[in-house]
Amino acid sequence: MSDDAVSPEEVRHVADLARVDLDDDEVDRFTEQFADILEYFETLDEVPEVDRETDLTNVMRPDEERPSLESEAALGNAPETEDGYFKGPNVS
């Protein structure tokens, strides 16, 4: 895959959607990184499918209940909230 698979304009668009400010050097770096990521996905597309078990199991660890942030603390850095929830941009 060539390095122009992802354009700097696309990187800026994704950054805008994520509300992340990037300078020109960061845009260049992320453009290269996104191209590399897409190349990895193309490689994964070449891996043959295998039969797998239909039941999924958590092989990592049992679920544990742990203390979490209070709603007010979780929403504290959100650019917009509404009725105690995160508010994001409208998506059409």
Side-chain angles (χ1 to χ4, degrees):
M1 176 177 289
S2 65
D3 287 331
D4 61 348
V6 178
S7 71
E9 291 75 27
E10 290 170 311
V11 171
R12 285 188 181 91
H13 177 70
V14 171
D16 287 343
L17 291 174
R19 297 180 181 176
V20 174
D21 292 326
L22 299 177
D23 61 32
D24 290 341
D25 290 337
E26 291 170 318
V27 169
D28 292 341
R29 189 170 71 240
F30 282 118
T31 299
E32 291 176 18
Q33 290 176 353
F34 284 161
D36 290 342
I37 291 168
L38 291 175
E39 187 173 335
Y40 289 131
F41 275 107
E42 285 183 1
T43 301
L44 288 175
D45 284 340
E46 296 171 8
V47 174
E49 290 185 31
V50 295
D51 291 333
R52 60 181 171 84
E53 294 180 24
T54 56
D55 293 333
L56 298 176
T57 57
N58 184 350
V59 295
M60 301 302 288
R61 62 168 172 77
D63 289 336
E64 298 174 3
E65 212 175 290
R66 298 186 297 189
S68 61
L69 291 174
E70 296 291 329
S71 293
E72 188 173 299
L75 296 170
N77 288 323
E80 285 187 71
T81 63
E82 185 175 291
D83 299 326
Y85 296 96
F86 292 99
K87 183 175 182 183
N90 292 334
V91 179
S92 56

